[in-house]
C-alpha cells in the first residue's frame, strides 16, 4: 500500500533544494556576467522533434508520451502499433535539440549571435544506478550564429569564472577536431578517424598498452599503430605539447589549422594555467567540429564536471543551415558531489526558520501569535506551533526543524517578559516585546 | 520543415523568465517567512500513484508515459491494450497527490505538523486555449498533521503577506463546509449538498434568478428553494453576515461549528478587512472539510489568483489515515497577468547585459577583450561582439540586447582613451581604463 516514487527519480527537501539552488544561482550569475540570457523550453516536444536526433540508443531512451484520448486511433496494424502512432510527444532528452528547435522556429526574431543559457531537467530511460538518474538537471550555455574563435575564449573564461565562484579548482582539457583529423591524415587513417578516437579516448583508463591491443583488435596494422604512437604521449605543459604537434602535423593543413585555433584561444584566456592539451579528448566527436573542452575537478575523484565544444549545423536538422556555435555544459549532480566531498558548501545557505514559538497554554496564544505576526512583518521566519502538546514534543520539533531559537509562550509570564531560548548556545533570556523585535532584527542583519 | 513547439506549451525568454522569477522569489520569501520548507518531487510518478485520484475527467487529462523497451510486452489483449499495460508512469497533474505520496512514503522520517511549499510545473492534456496551457507552474503551500485552526489563520496571513509584497490588492473570500452542511440540514437537503453547492457556486455569473431556475431543473422543490433563499443574499460586511448566519443556522450543530471556526479565524488574522464571507464559495467541495478560501485581485478582471482550504485524509488514498491539513495555492499565470495589467512589475527586474563591446578592427581586440575580462571580474555583465562587421549592425545588436552601454573598441584610439556610449541618454565619453572600471562599478551599485 505504501506508495513509492518512480525508480531513478528523487525528492528534494529543504537541505537539498537549498544546496542545489546555491549552485544554480552562482551558475546563473556567471552566465549573466558573460551576457548569456536565460531560455526555458517546454518539458515535452512533438515526438518528431526529438526522435532520430540522438541515434538508435537515444531514441530508445527517450520517454514517449501516450496520445491523449483514444491512443489506438491512428494505429494502422492493431497487433503491432508503431511508437509514433500511439505517442505524439516526448520528454526533453537534452537541452541542445530544444535549443535547435527554438532557434529554427524563431530565426526571424532572434538577433545573432544568439547567446542563451538553460537550466532545466531532462529525462532519460536509463537503467537507474548509483549517481545515474532518470530525471536530472542540465545546465548549458550556447552561443550560435558566429564562427569567431573569441567564443571559445569566452567559454573557457566562463568555465574558470563559474568554478572559481564555486571554489572548485579545475583543469580544463582542450583538444580540436582538426588536430585529430590532422593525425589521421598524417598516419593515413582518414576514414577510420572515429574508430581511432573512440579507442584513444580510453587512454587514461587502459594505458598505452591497452590502446595498442584494442587498435590491433580493430584491425589497425602495426605500421599504422607505430605512426599513431605520438598521440599516446603526455606532455609536461602546453608549450611542449603545442611545439610537438606543430612539428608532427606540419604536413597536414587541417592539423596546422587545429593548432592555430588552439594557440589563438590559449593566448587569450584569463587562466591559461588551468588548460591542458589532451589529444585523446574526443567527447562525441561526430558532433564537434573545432575545439573540444572537458573540465575536471582537482583534488577529488568525481570525473568530469563539464564539457563542450564547437559544432556546426546545429539547426540543420530543422532546415536552417550554416549555424555554427559553441556550447558548454555543467554537470550539476557531479558538481554537488564535488562540493560535498571537498566541504565547499558554505554555512548559512540553508534557510532554516529563525524561531519556533512553543505554546504552553491557550490563554497566551493571542499574545504570542501577535509576536509571530510582528516578527514576520520584519522579515523573521517564524514557526508557530499549532497545538498545545507536551513541551518536550514541541522542543523536539523545534530542534528537528533546524530553528536557532524558540520563544516560550505561557500566560504566567508577565506579558512583557517573554522567554527566548537560543538553541545553539543553550542560553535563555527574558525580553520585553521591543527587545525581542530588536534582537531578531539584528539576527537577520 | 520548420519545427514547432508542442501545442499548449510555451518557451520563456529573458523577459519572461525574469518576470516569473521575480514573482517566484517573492512567493518563496513569503513561504519561508511563514516557515514553510521547499519540496521538489519528480516530474513523473508511477502511473498507479496518480490514476484514480482526480476522477474520470482527471484520469483522461493525465499525460501517461509509454513503457520503455517493448511497450506491448505486458498487453494481454493485443487488439485492445489497456493504458496501464502500455504506460507505467505519468506526469505530475498537480502538487497535492505527489505531496500525499511523499508524506506517506516518508511518514516515519517527517516531523509533524509538516509544512512544505512547492513551486513546480504540472501537466494536463487540456484542450489549449487562451490562458490555458498544457504545462504550467503551480505554487502550493500545505501544512499537514494538525487540526488546529491556527493554521487557517496563518494561511490567510500568508496570503496577505505574499500579495502585499507583490503590490496586489486582494479580497479573500472565505467559507466553511460546515456552514454549507448546516444550510443543507436546516433546509432538509442533506443528501443533495454537493448538487446544491455546484449550482450556488455560479451565483456571481448567473444571478439569483439563474440559480433558482437551475435548482428547479435539478428537481429542487419550490418549498426547498424558498428555504434556501437566504443563501443567495449578499451582505455589507463580515459582522452582518456572521450575525445573520448565526441566527439562520442556530438549530444546526454543524452550522454553528462552521460559524465558530470562521469567527476564530477572522478574529485573529492580521487584515480582517480583506476578508469576505461568501457562502456560495465551494471550490471542489468534495475535497474540503472545513474552511475554504479564494483570493480575488481587486481593480482587475482576472478571476481568482489563489485558493485553498482545510482537508482531511490527504494521505488516506495511500493508507495513512487521519492526516488533516490546510493547503493554499497561488495561480502564477494569473498573477503575472495581474501584474502586467496593473503595471506592477518594477523596473530593473530584467537583467539585461550592462555593456556590449563593439569592435571596429581586429588589432584592438586583445586590448578590448582585456577590458571585458576586467569588467566581468568586478561583476559587470559584458557582451563581447565576436566578429568584425559593420558598426551599424553591432549597434543594432546592442540595442536589441537591451544593453545600457556600448564600448567602441578601435585601434586608432589612444589605448587609454576608450569610447563609452550610454544608449539610454545617448551621451558618449572618452575614459581611461581606470575611469571606465570605476564608472561601471558605480553603475552596478
Amino acid at each position: 500500500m505504501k506508495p513509492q516514487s518512480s525508480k531513478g527519480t528523487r525528492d528534494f527537501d529543504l537541505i537539498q533544494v537549498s544546496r542545489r539552488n546555491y549552485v544554480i544561482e552562482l551558475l546563473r550569475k556567471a552566465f549573466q556576467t558573460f551576457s548569456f540570457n536565460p531560455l526555458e523550453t517546454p518539458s515535452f516536444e512533438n515526438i518528431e522533434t526529438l526522435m532520430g536526433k540522438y541515434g538508435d540508443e537515444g531514441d530508445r531512451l527517450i520517454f514517449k508520451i501516450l496520445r491523449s484520448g483514444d491512443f489506438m486511433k491512428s494505429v494502422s496494424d492493431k497487433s503491432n502499433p508503431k511508437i509514433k502512432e500511439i505517442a505524439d510527444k516526448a520528454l526533453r532528452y537534452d537541452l541542445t535539440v530544444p535549443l535547435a528547435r527554438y532557434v529554427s522556429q524563431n530565426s526571424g526574431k532572434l538577433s545573432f549571435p544568439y547567446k542563451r543559457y538553460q537550466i532545466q531537467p531532462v529525462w532519460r530511460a536509463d537503467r537507474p544506478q548509483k549517481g545515474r538518474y532518470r530525471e536530472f538537471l542540465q545546465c548549458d550555455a550556447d552561443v550560435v550564429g558566429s564562427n569567431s574563435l573569441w567564443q571559445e575564449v569566452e567559454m573557457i573564461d566562463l568555465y574558470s569564472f563559474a568554478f572559481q565562484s564555486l571554489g572548485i579548482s579545475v583543469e580544463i582539457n582542450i583538444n580540436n577536431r582538426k588536430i585529430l583529423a590532422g593525425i589521421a591524415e598524417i598516419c593515413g587513417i582518414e576514414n577510420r578517424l572515429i574508430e581511432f578516437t573512440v579507442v584513444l579516448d580510453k587512454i587514461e583508463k587502459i594505458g598505452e598498452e591497452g590502446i595498442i591491443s584494442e587498435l590491433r583488435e580493430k584491425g589497425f596494422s602495426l605500421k599504422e599503430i607505430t605512426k599513431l604512437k605520438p598521440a599516446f604521449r603526455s606532455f609536461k605543459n602546453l608549450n611542449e605539447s603545442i611545439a610537438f604537434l606543430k612539428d608532427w602535423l606540419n604536413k597536414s593543413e587541417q592539423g596546422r589549422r587545429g593548432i592555430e585555433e588552439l594557440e589563438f584561444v590559449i593566448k587569450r584566456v584569463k587562466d591559461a594555467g588551468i588548460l591542458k592539451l589532451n589529444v585523446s579528448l574526443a567527447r562525441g566527436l561526430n558532433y564537434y567540429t573545432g575545439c573540444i573542452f572537458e573540465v575536471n575537478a582537482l583534488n577529488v575523484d568525481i570525473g568530469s564536471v563539464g564539457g563542450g565544444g564547437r559544432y556546426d549545423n546545429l539547426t540543420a536538422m530543422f532546415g536552417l543551415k550554416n549555424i555554427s556555435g559553441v556550447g558548454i555544459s555543467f554537470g550539476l549532480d557531479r558538481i554537488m558531489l564535488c562540493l560535498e566531498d571537498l566541504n565547499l558548501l558554505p554555512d548559512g545557505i540553508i534557510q532554516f526558520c529563525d524561531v519556533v514559538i512553543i505554546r504552553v497554554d491557550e490563554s497566551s496564544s493571542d499574545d504570542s501569535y501577535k509576536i509571530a505576526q510582528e516578527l514576520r512583518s520584519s522579515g523573521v521566519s517564524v514557526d508557530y506551533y499549532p497545538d498545545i502538546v507536551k513541551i518536550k514534543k514541541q522542543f523536539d520539533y523545534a530542534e528537528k526543524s533546524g530553528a536557532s531559537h524558540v520563544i516560550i509562550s505561557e500566560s504566567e509570564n508577565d506579558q512583557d517578559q517573554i522567554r527566548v531560548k537560543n538553541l545553539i548556545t543553550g542560553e535563555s533570556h527574558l525580553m520585553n516585546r521591543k527587545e525581542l523585535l530588536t534582537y531578531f532584527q539584528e539576527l537577520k542583519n
Side-chain angles (χ1 to χ4, degrees), chain A:
Chain A
M1 190 81 178
K2 206 168 193 178
Q4 293 295 323
S5 42
S6 184
K7 245 186 344 183
T9 66
R10 293 167 286 177
D11 295 312
F12 297 113
D13 65 11
L14 169 66
I15 292 176
Q16 295 149 334
V17 169
S18 306
R19 287 179 174 172
R20 291 163 65 88
N21 282 351
Y22 162 77
V23 175
I24 290 168
E25 284 314 308
L26 285 176
L27 292 180
R28 273 187 193 282
K29 178 72 196 148
F31 293 144
Q32 211 259 325
T33 303
F34 281 73
S35 191
F36 287 80
N37 286 333
L39 173 69
E40 291 177 12
T41 65
S43 299
F44 53 71
E45 299 278 348
N46 293 323
I47 200 165
E48 60 272 19
T49 301
L50 301 189
M51 295 281 281
K53 307 301 191 298
Y54 305 102
D56 290 346
E57 175 71 357
D59 276 357
R60 215 173 52 73
L61 297 182
I62 291 172
F63 282 115
K64 292 101 187 167
I65 298 173
L66 206 60
R67 276 179 200 277
S68 309
D70 177 9
F71 56 86
M72 291 295 284
K73 204 174 55 188
S74 311
V75 173
S76 49
D77 174 2
K78 299 279 178 206
S79 64
N80 184 23
K82 302 278 174 292
I83 282 186
K84 285 188 189 173
E85 291 173 333
I86 61 169
D88 56 353
K89 288 177 278 297
L91 287 177
R92 190 164 54 216
Y93 181 82
D94 71 0
L95 303 177
T96 305
V97 174
L99 169 66
R101 191 268 305 152
Y102 178 79
V103 170
S104 307
Q105 185 175 341
N106 298 286
S107 57
K109 283 187 281 180
L110 297 175
S111 68
F112 290 96
Y114 171 66
K115 297 168 81 174
R116 82 87 177 82
Y117 74 86
Q118 192 168 353
I119 304 177
Q120 289 193 285
V122 301
W123 295 270
R124 296 184 183 179
D126 259 320
R127 204 188 169 80
Q129 46 181 276
K130 196 177 175 318
R132 184 185 291 172
Y133 303 100
R134 290 183 157 181
E135 173 176 52
F136 58 98
L137 215 61
Q138 283 198 337
C139 312
D140 283 15
D142 288 79
V143 49
V144 297
S146 162
N147 293 304
S148 167
L149 281 169
W150 281 107
Q151 302 186 317
E152 279 83 342
V153 178
E154 289 199 288
M155 287 301 200
I156 292 173
D157 275 357
L158 170 53
Y159 263 141
S160 337
F161 186 99
F163 283 107
Q164 240 168 59
S165 72
L166 289 162
I168 299 176
S169 304
V170 296
E171 169 186 88
I172 303 181
N173 286 278
I174 52 170
N175 196 10
N176 193 301
R177 189 199 168 107
K178 290 162 190 158
I179 288 177
L180 290 165
I183 292 172
E185 190 184 334
I186 290 292
C187 302
I189 56 151
E190 288 95 326
N191 50 358
R192 279 175 292 164
L193 171 61
I194 304 283
E195 230 176 326
F196 168 63
T197 55
V198 168
V199 177
L200 184 61
D201 205 29
K202 304 182 192 166
I203 193 157
E204 267 159 51
K205 277 192 206 140
I206 61 177
E208 187 173 331
E209 305 227 332
I211 296 294
I212 292 172
S213 75
E214 274 212 28
L215 287 175
R216 287 289 291 155
E217 279 167 35
K218 302 255 174 201
F220 285 82
S221 71
L222 279 175
K223 206 174 148 196
E224 284 164 343
I225 292 173
T226 307
K227 277 192 186 168
L228 286 166
K229 265 192 175 173
F232 312 157
R233 281 190 56 175
S234 65
F235 294 92
K236 272 205 293 271
N237 55 45
L238 270 177
N239 287 340
E240 201 194 66
S241 51
I242 296 260
F244 176 81
L245 286 176
K246 270 188 174 169
D247 184 50
W248 187 31
L249 306 182
N250 183 38
K251 292 213 172 96
S252 156
E253 202 204 311
Q254 284 211 78
R256 284 199 310 271
R257 273 184 42 218
I259 298 164
E260 268 166 35
E261 289 189 9
L262 282 186
E263 281 190 296
F264 181 95
V265 172
I266 291 164
K267 199 177 147 195
R268 283 158 181 91
V269 300
K270 203 158 172 253
D271 305 307
I274 63 171
L275 292 179
K276 192 180 156 191
L277 175 52
N278 180 352
V279 294
S280 73
L281 181 65
R283 285 187 75 89
L285 188 63
N286 278 321
Y287 193 68
Y288 294 119
T289 54
C291 284
I292 305 170
F293 319 117
E294 187 169 271
V295 186
N296 292 313
L298 301 177
N299 316 318
V300 66
D301 189 23
I302 296 277
S304 83
V305 289
R310 161 77 63 181
Y311 47 78
D312 292 336
N313 285 325
L314 169 76
T315 51
M317 54 178 112
F318 298 120
L320 185 65
K321 298 219 172 102
N322 298 319
I323 300 276
S324 178
V326 186
I328 62 173
S329 71
F330 292 78
L332 188 85
D333 283 314
R334 291 215 180 146
I335 290 174
M336 294 310 306
L337 286 176
C338 216
L339 294 171
E340 281 160 23
D341 278 17
L342 297 171
N343 212 7
L344 289 172
L345 287 159
D347 290 337
I349 56 175
I350 302 163
Q351 292 196 295
F352 296 113
C353 83
D354 297 310
V355 55
V356 176
I357 299 186
I358 284 182
R359 294 168 60 223
V360 178
D361 45 44
E362 201 58 76
S363 58
S364 64
S365 298
D366 286 346
D367 284 332
S368 57
Y369 189 68
K370 286 213 180 75
I371 293 172
Q373 288 174 325
E374 280 172 23
L375 287 171
R376 285 171 178 163
S377 293
S378 54
V380 180
S381 164
V382 182
D383 204 355
Y384 188 74
Y385 199 88
D387 301 295
I388 311 286
V389 296
K390 282 204 180 122
I391 199 162
K392 165 89 171 64
K393 192 177 170 194
Q394 297 186 58
F395 262 102
D396 286 349
Y397 171 89
E399 266 163 26
K400 259 187 144 179
S401 79
S404 56
H405 290 76
V406 294
I407 289 174
I408 296 131
S409 152
E410 50 185 327
S411 52
E412 281 170 31
N413 291 350
D414 178 342
Q415 208 199 301
D416 250 18
Q417 288 296 304
I418 302 150
R419 184 162 297 282
V420 179
K421 186 173 179 185
N422 183 322
L423 293 177
I424 297 157
T425 65
E427 281 170 35
S428 172
H429 294 285
L430 287 172
M431 299 182 193
N432 66 33
R433 210 137 137 180
K434 210 179 141 200
E435 288 165 342
L436 184 96
L437 266 180
T438 313
Y439 177 83
F440 280 103
Q441 276 164 356
E442 277 171 8
L443 197 79
K444 294 301 279 183
N445 298 327

